[in-house]
Amino acid sequence: MARISLERRDLEDDLQRLFTLLTTADNAPGTAAEYTVPVDVFETATGIELVVDLAGVSADLVQVVVAENTLIVMGRKDPPACAHQREAAFHVAERTFGRFARGVRLTGAFDVGRADAVLRAGELRVTLPRIDERRGRERRISVRTD
């Protein structure tokens, strides 16, 4: 499972990486992010879900971070090991490898502490539940006397 970084020292590192990854305009090979990954974002009755295609990516190479009202998925997809890679002459090479990043701006209030990120069968599913107090639900506030 990918991790959601909430500790301050991790967050500072993640924010610096986020700035580097998301401000690289050309995303050319050799820059901070070499490619972007396809993502679907949809809202449910209880929150928001993101589904990201990450076929061939190991969970330990993926980071999921929420910072500044943005959810960021970043990581690295390593090329497969090929015993004959030096002698091999590729006929077709369509798969992408290297560093990737994708940021999705969040609107609304979400409970990051209850967020969940699961990588299964090449698909990363991130679930961010809404904060109940901000969804218009009635909440009683007890009245006390002094």
Side-chain angles (χ1 to χ4, degrees):
M1 183 185 320
R3 72 180 180 93
I4 296 180
S5 178
L6 297 174
E7 295 181 24
R8 177 142 180 88
R9 66 179 182 276
D10 290 339
L11 183 58
E12 289 171 0
D13 292 342
D14 292 339
L15 285 174
Q16 181 59 45
R17 273 184 293 198
L18 166 67
F19 178 78
T20 302
L21 289 167
L22 298 180
T23 57
T24 304
D26 59 0
N27 280 341
T31 60
E34 295 172 351
Y35 70 101
T36 58
V37 289
V39 63
D40 292 335
V41 181
F42 53 95
E43 191 168 348
T44 66
T46 59
I48 193 167
E49 290 192 31
L50 287 85
V51 180
V52 185
D53 285 341
L54 294 180
V57 178
S58 171
D60 61 327
L61 297 177
V62 176
Q63 275 197 321
V64 179
V65 179
V66 176
E68 309 258 340
N69 292 330
T70 303
L71 184 132
I72 304 105
V73 176
M74 58 186 146
R76 185 179 78 241
K77 181 177 179 181
D78 292 331
C82 177
H84 306 287
Q85 190 166 355
R86 293 194 179 197
E87 306 99 34
F90 283 90
H91 289 262
V92 178
E94 295 180 344
R95 299 183 305 153
T96 306
F97 300 99
R99 292 179 299 251
F100 61 85
R102 189 64 188 263
V104 175
R105 188 86 169 144
L106 301 174
T107 57
F110 298 96
D111 188 350
V112 178
R114 294 187 312 142
D116 186 41
V118 178
L119 180 62
R120 181 180 302 123
E123 182 178 272
L124 175 67
R125 184 171 296 266
V126 181
T127 305
L128 290 166
R130 287 206 180 278
I131 294 175
D132 290 338
E133 294 85 42
R134 297 197 181 176
R135 291 184 56 216
R137 289 191 179 174
E138 180 180 299
R139 286 189 51 125
R140 294 206 175 248
I141 300 172
S142 60
V143 178
R144 58 186 175 84
T145 60
D146 288 331

